[in-house]
Amino acid sequence: MLESMPMLTKLRPFVCIFLKEASKMFEMYVYTTGEQFYALEMVKVLDPRTVYFSSSVISQADSTQRHQKGLDVVLGPDSAVLILDNTERVWKNHKDNLILMERYHFFASSCHQFGFHCKSLSELKSDESEPDGALATILKVLQQTHSTLFDLELSDNFSGIDVRQVLNQFGRKSGRDAR
């Protein structure tokens, strides 16, 4: 239960390992269509020691388009930005950069909020598997992508690399497809 918001949240299994390993390969941002206060509260839960997201939080107020996310507020060229998100429609102009993450529906309220007519993981008295869950699967995709992008044997010149081409080369855009 968050002290500053009337909200109960649960970290997805494997998230701590995921953040630690992903941060070794990529500069990471939290980007939400939610308000800044919400974003900062979630970052406190995800990263209480401010190791991963110290100043890399982008919220609704930072966006240049309403109900959309864009790379114009992220430092770096589009060709170098890999997006991990659970909502494809907010990335209308950057779908080639996107790895679609399946939503984590631990609580019944999450299922209802997003229109799913199924039992939540808590109702099933279950949870995702750490070694085989969504974050472990996505981490493998990120490791493959990073390896392909920065394979020193394949390229001496990193100026022409494009994360979108690498994602297309894998032929998958979803963590679900990578299993």
Side-chain angles (χ1 to χ4, degrees):
M1 184 64 142
L2 300 178
E3 291 178 24
S4 56
M5 297 175 77
M7 177 184 259
L8 184 64
T9 192
K10 180 187 179 305
L11 290 178
R12 194 173 203 148
F14 197 72
V15 71
C16 295
I17 295 167
F18 175 85
L19 291 173
K20 180 180 177 184
E21 295 303 314
S23 72
K24 293 175 185 176
M25 298 177 284
F26 301 99
E27 180 179 341
M28 299 188 305
Y29 290 76
V30 168
Y31 195 152
T32 180
T33 55
E35 294 180 12
Q36 180 79 8
F37 179 75
Y38 167 79
L40 294 174
E41 289 303 304
M42 290 301 107
V43 167
K44 285 180 192 174
V45 173
L46 282 169
D47 185 18
R49 293 183 187 89
T50 62
V51 174
Y52 309 117
F53 307 112
S54 58
S55 62
S56 306
V57 178
I58 301 168
S59 66
Q60 180 184 67
D62 302 309
S63 292
T64 57
Q65 300 174 50
R66 189 166 171 81
H67 305 298
Q68 286 290 306
K69 295 178 181 179
L71 296 182
D72 55 336
V73 294
V74 176
L75 295 177
D78 293 3
S79 62
V81 179
L82 190 143
I83 302 163
L84 177 60
D85 203 323
N86 60 13
T87 309
E88 184 176 18
R89 65 178 162 69
V90 298
W91 292 104
K92 183 173 68 173
N93 298 323
H94 302 288
K95 289 183 182 183
D96 289 339
N97 297 71
L98 177 65
I99 296 175
L100 189 59
M101 178 80 188
E102 57 185 277
R103 264 185 210 282
Y104 182 54
H105 295 292
F106 186 77
F107 298 110
S109 58
S110 176
C111 292
H112 300 305
Q113 177 183 356
F114 293 100
F116 288 94
H117 303 289
C118 60
K119 290 194 174 205
S120 67
L121 291 168
S122 64
E123 290 172 307
L124 295 171
K125 298 189 182 342
S126 180
D127 209 344
E128 285 186 357
S129 160
E130 286 206 14
D132 300 319
L135 287 178
T137 302
I138 291 291
L139 183 58
K140 291 174 191 165
V141 173
L142 294 179
Q143 289 166 331
Q144 288 175 319
T145 302
H146 186 271
S147 177
T148 301
L149 285 170
F150 298 104
D151 188 338
L152 296 175
E153 293 178 17
L154 295 177
S155 176
D156 296 333
N157 178 11
F158 293 115
S159 63
I161 60 173
D162 191 325
V163 70
R164 298 167 293 199
Q165 291 173 342
V166 173
L167 290 176
N168 284 331
Q169 174 187 336
F170 289 153
R172 60 179 167 256
K173 292 299 210 175
S174 166
R176 285 174 243 155
D177 299 337
R179 287 185 212 182

